[in-house]
Amino acid sequence: MLLKKSRYTGARAFEPQGDPGTFPGLRARRIEPLEGVIEHTVTDGDRLDHLAHHYYNDNGQWWRIVDANPELLDGGRLMHPDWVGEVILIPAAKRG
């Protein structure tokens, strides 16, 4: 069950096809094209929740940054130390 305003609303469901180790779930959701992007150079100690708080005033919006930079997910870890000095994209906050 999804919340009414979930970003996964509209994602298609999938059913396992004969593999007992899989479970029903949702397919990847559609990510809209970015508009009004800011470039941010990663510094030592940057965290996605801190960046989200800085740019959106809401640390729970970190997923917007991951949507724009899916390569930031490194084996489940966010913001690998090797990213220091790299430029990532920060999408504009949604209005309305």
Side-chain angles (χ1 to χ4, degrees):
M1 175 180 231
L2 300 173
L3 298 174
K4 290 179 184 177
K5 293 186 178 183
S6 172
R7 63 186 178 268
Y8 291 91
T9 300
R12 294 183 305 131
F14 70 87
E15 296 290 330
Q17 300 295 318
D19 184 355
T22 60
F23 57 91
L26 295 176
R27 295 189 186 279
R29 64 186 174 80
R30 177 170 158 67
I31 297 175
E32 299 297 325
L34 300 176
E35 294 181 17
V37 175
I38 298 168
E39 292 183 348
H40 174 86
T41 302
V42 177
T43 60
D44 190 34
D46 272 351
R47 289 181 19 189
L48 291 172
D49 58 335
H50 292 170
L51 293 175
H53 180 76
H54 176 77
Y55 289 106
Y56 306 126
N57 201 30
D58 180 353
N59 61 355
Q61 297 292 311
W62 60 268
W63 58 269
R64 291 187 186 280
I65 300 168
V66 173
D67 279 358
N69 306 276
E71 63 279 3
L72 291 177
L73 291 175
D74 178 27
R77 292 186 311 175
L78 303 176
M79 297 293 290
H80 191 277
D82 291 345
W83 279 89
V84 172
E86 296 292 326
V87 175
I88 62 172
L89 303 177
I90 308 292
K94 298 259 183 192
R95 302 262 186 236

